[in-house]
Amino acid sequence: MDTVRFSNHPAHGSYTGQITPACEITALIDGIEQRALLQSCTAILSGYLGSAKNGRIIAEIVDRIKAINKRALFLCDPVMGDNGQPYVEKDILTFFKEKIAASADILTPNNYEASILIGEPVDTKQKALKALSILRAKGIKVAIITGIETNRSIQTVARDEIGTWSVSTPKIQVASSGAGDLFSALFLARYLDRNSTPHALSYAISTVYGVLGVAQELSAPDLPIVAAQELILSPQTYFPAESIT
């Protein structure tokens, strides 16, 4: 369900379109509920909100679905910014930090977004592991932090009630706007299928890496999802999740 309707990704600079009004999102959910379809909903995935008001509506929708199906999972991708810079309004930053993030079953911030959520820098792997503990203490079932850069690699760390894992990939020099959105969707789909954090983590990271590789080959300005669809079904390069003790 679109929270915004834009002509293109805002990372390209200019764009046209509008934020979806919160009342329209509510009306669409009402229609879905009238078809008795909410009880078959097994997961909710939220990403770019467009406005804090949309965020509040999404929180209400999550509550409505969980009231019908308590086993439904909520994955919150708290889209706020990257590379040390926010690209949403301050009220959205506040909303994520104070309201919705802690209600998620699965949380997938990048390292910058994690720093906003915990109020501390998250620019190394060790700081990310500390951030995972803080986020898990808020009641989050699976906490994941992406985008931890070293000189030659990008690392992602995850923690659930069973353990802690890390996946490392080489850097790919290509525009990666939307990679976080893709990662969250892939992780959730595989987690629902296997109920395994390390398995879903490895699959999602390996797939995103493959898609970015295709983007580099094609000099694509956006993620080439259609061109890379075979890689999405079966990544060519597999990066295992290594257990951290």
Side-chain angles (χ1 to χ4, degrees):
M1 187 173 297
D2 297 334
T3 52
V4 297
R5 292 191 289 268
F6 292 159
S7 59
N8 52 267
H9 197 290
H12 293 306
S14 62
Y15 62 91
T16 59
Q18 65 179 5
I19 296 169
T20 304
C23 60
E24 184 174 322
I25 296 173
T26 300
L28 290 171
I29 287 294
D30 288 344
I32 293 172
E33 186 172 24
Q34 288 167 15
R35 304 281 82 74
L37 295 175
L38 290 187
Q39 51 261 52
S40 63
C41 177
T42 56
I44 309 103
L45 167 61
S46 72
Y48 188 83
L49 297 179
S51 69
K53 189 172 183 179
N54 279 355
R56 289 189 288 272
I57 293 299
I58 289 170
E60 292 174 6
I61 291 169
V62 170
D63 289 342
R64 286 169 64 177
I65 292 173
K66 282 182 170 285
I68 297 171
N69 179 6
K70 294 181 179 180
R71 299 183 65 182
L73 295 175
F74 172 37
L75 187 153
C76 174
D77 180 5
V79 180
M80 294 181 279
D82 202 359
N83 300 314
Q85 296 294 326
Y87 43 65
V88 297
E89 299 297 326
K90 288 184 178 180
D91 59 346
I92 295 180
L93 302 181
T94 301
F95 175 75
F96 274 123
K97 186 174 182 178
E98 298 181 357
K99 301 292 183 181
I100 199 169
S103 67
D105 298 295
I106 305 171
L107 191 68
T108 61
N110 60 37
N111 65 316
Y112 172 67
E113 292 160 345
S115 72
I116 294 174
L117 293 175
I118 71 169
E120 300 178 15
V122 183
D123 50 9
T124 67
K125 185 176 179 178
Q126 286 304 118
K127 291 179 180 178
L129 293 175
K130 177 184 177 182
L132 291 179
S133 296
I134 295 172
L135 294 173
R136 283 268 300 147
K138 296 178 181 291
I140 294 164
K141 181 179 180 181
V142 182
I144 303 171
I145 299 176
T146 64
I148 306 157
E149 294 195 30
T150 66
N151 289 335
R152 297 183 179 181
S153 68
I154 301 289
Q155 297 190 339
T156 299
V157 293
R159 178 172 292 163
D160 63 12
E161 68 275 13
I162 296 174
T164 304
W165 296 271
S166 173
V167 178
S168 178
T169 69
K171 288 183 179 180
I172 297 180
Q173 300 302 323
V174 66
S176 58
S177 297
D181 308 84
L182 179 60
F183 168 81
S184 294
L186 293 170
F187 179 89
L188 180 59
R190 189 53 61 98
Y191 187 85
L192 287 171
D193 184 47
R194 301 288 183 88
N195 194 32
S196 167
T197 296
H199 178 82
L201 185 67
S202 293
Y203 165 73
I205 290 294
S206 300
T207 303
V208 171
Y209 181 84
V211 172
L212 291 176
V214 174
Q216 186 180 52
E217 292 173 8
L218 300 177
S219 298
D222 295 295
L223 296 182
I225 302 299
V226 175
Q229 58 186 309
E230 293 300 323
L231 289 176
I232 293 175
L233 293 174
S234 182
Q236 290 184 351
T237 304
Y238 183 78
F239 298 96
E242 299 180 353
S243 179
I244 300 174
T245 56

